[in-house]
Amino acid sequence: YNLTNPLLFTGVLVGCISCWIIGYIYSIGFPVYGEVNATPLWNTLCLILTNKTVAYLIGLTLTFGGAFLLHRANYALMLIREKTLLPFLLYSLFISTNPDFLPLKSTSLGVFCLILALYELFMSYHHDTQDKAFNAAFMIGVGSLLWIHILWFLPLFWYGMYKFRSFSLKSFMASILGVLVVYWLVLGWCIWTKDFTPFSVPFSALIKIQPLALQDVTIVEWADIVYVILLTILSAINIITHEYEDNVRTRQFLSFLTVFAFWAFVLYFLYGQATSEEFLEIACIPTSVLIAHFFTVVRNKTVFWLFHFTWIYCFSLLFIRIWNS
């Protein structure tokens, strides 16, 4: 019941690319619109991206680029004790089969920033390194220029620093400095242009909580969200019940990714009226690794067919949502 079959990987990957082709034909998510509470930089990019082909090519590149970064982070940090391409495959599957992510969202580039910040955080394991804390916070600050709500993951990284025994007053101040450097440059630009909307508009949206209303989500969307949450819970339970099969470092990394996933889902429900799709896209980072870990280490007939049901289920939901629209 090994899922490392190259034919299976190629088939699902071709299916993901086909989803992008179908989205391009039906112009799903295009034109890319800015919003009143979005950052000025993202709204400016939306005005520039008037060509559908260019927008879809950029979105496709960012999706598979993010999947590759996640795969390299998994390989370098040995989050899964066996060599596997499932994190790459599952991330591509989750992004490509959700029409809300096509072709571009403000988090499409923020995913890169969070994965790089996550790598810096994990590399600081048991080391009080201020440069790692600065680099991680700096990447989060850069991502916030396009999507301000990414700053809500900075406290999560402080928790990770504490969990990995790399938290100290110096590393904490270094992380604060990493974000301040980004916004010090933004402040300089605001003074130069005499326009302070890059501060006032995004930060007013950051503190404006609008809980998700159940009627705003369709049954098909709930089916997608609930299924991924259930798979994540199943993966977390497997990690907890078989924690001694991995070394201490890997267990702590996977434990942090579990908290990361559920923190993203909590923020999704808190900001459901404003920026729900973006939090779901961020949640694809930890869930892809956790679910890939489950499908890799648990080998039996039930899990084998559960994986096949998963990719068929995701593709089916996409076509149902396209048909309903």
Side-chain angles (χ1 to χ4, degrees):
Y1 302 109
N2 195 347
L3 295 174
T4 58
N5 188 339
L7 182 62
L8 173 64
F9 176 84
T10 304
V12 177
L13 189 61
V14 170
C16 293
I17 297 176
S18 301
C19 293
W20 283 86
I21 296 175
I22 294 172
Y24 177 83
I25 294 174
Y26 288 97
S27 299
I28 298 176
F30 189 85
V32 181
Y33 292 108
E35 298 181 2
V36 177
N37 57 355
T39 63
L41 180 58
W42 171 245
N43 287 332
T44 302
L45 290 178
C46 291
L47 295 176
I48 297 174
L49 293 173
T50 57
N51 186 288
K52 183 172 73 170
T53 303
V54 173
Y56 265 86
L57 285 177
I58 294 175
L60 182 65
T61 302
L62 291 176
T63 296
F64 288 108
F68 177 75
L69 283 179
L70 194 61
H71 165 70
R72 291 302 304 170
N74 169 64
Y75 182 80
L77 298 169
M78 294 182 292
L79 302 178
I80 302 175
R81 58 179 178 267
E82 299 181 23
K83 290 184 179 180
T84 179
L85 292 172
L86 282 183
F88 177 95
L89 192 64
L90 289 175
Y91 180 83
S92 303
L93 177 67
F94 293 153
I95 298 297
S96 302
T97 55
N98 193 326
D100 294 332
F101 301 155
L102 303 181
L104 277 173
K105 300 295 289 185
S106 55
T107 47
S108 298
L109 186 59
V111 166
F112 279 84
C113 299
L114 264 185
I115 294 176
L116 293 174
L118 194 66
Y119 179 79
E120 292 289 335
L121 173 66
F122 284 177
M123 289 299 293
S124 67
Y125 181 79
H126 279 211
H127 296 285
D128 183 15
T129 53
Q130 291 78 47
D131 57 334
K132 299 294 183 183
F134 176 87
N135 293 339
F138 180 79
M139 295 308 303
I140 292 176
V142 172
S144 68
L145 297 179
L146 289 173
W147 185 55
I148 190 64
H149 295 83
I150 201 175
L151 292 177
W152 281 116
F153 292 94
L154 187 59
L156 180 69
F157 276 65
W158 292 335
Y159 163 75
M161 291 163 57
Y162 171 78
K163 186 177 183 64
F164 303 149
R165 299 181 184 178
S166 60
F167 185 85
S168 66
L169 180 60
K170 291 183 179 180
S171 61
F172 174 76
M173 295 305 299
S175 65
I176 295 294
L177 184 61
V179 177
L180 290 180
V181 166
V182 175
Y183 282 94
W184 179 258
L185 298 175
V186 175
L187 178 61
W189 173 259
C190 292
I191 295 175
W192 177 267
T193 59
K194 297 181 180 180
D195 180 15
F196 289 88
T197 54
F199 275 97
S200 59
V201 174
F203 282 97
S204 63
L206 180 64
I207 61 176
K208 188 177 181 181
I209 297 178
Q210 296 176 313
L212 180 69
L214 298 180
Q215 62 271 18
D216 292 337
V217 183
T218 64
I219 296 177
V220 179
E221 291 174 336
W222 276 121
D224 189 12
I225 297 169
V226 171
Y227 184 75
V228 174
I229 292 177
L230 289 177
L231 280 181
T232 305
I233 294 174
L234 183 62
S235 304
I237 293 174
N238 177 73
I239 292 171
I240 295 173
T241 56
H242 299 82
E243 60 177 348
Y244 295 108
E245 295 180 5
D246 293 306
N247 57 46
V248 176
R249 178 179 178 179
T250 302
R251 293 202 302 266
Q252 291 184 338
F253 287 167
L254 294 176
S255 174
F256 175 78
L257 288 175
T258 303
V259 177
F260 186 0
F262 286 102
W263 177 242
F265 286 123
V266 168
L267 291 175
Y268 165 77
F269 289 105
L270 289 178
Y271 286 92
Q273 300 288 347
T275 179
S276 58
E277 295 88 357
E278 286 82 355
F279 281 114
L280 284 183
E281 189 170 359
I282 292 298
C284 291
I285 298 174
T287 55
S288 298
V289 177
L290 294 171
I291 298 173
H293 180 273
F294 174 74
F295 283 132
T296 301
V297 302
V298 181
R299 294 182 178 179
N300 55 51
K301 185 177 181 179
T302 303
V303 174
F304 178 79
W305 288 111
L306 178 62
F307 173 79
H308 288 285
F309 174 79
T310 298
W311 65 264
I312 295 173
Y313 181 82
C314 291
F315 286 134
S316 300
L317 286 182
L318 172 65
F319 290 117
I320 291 174
R321 294 179 68 175
I322 293 176
W323 179 267
N324 290 338
S325 64

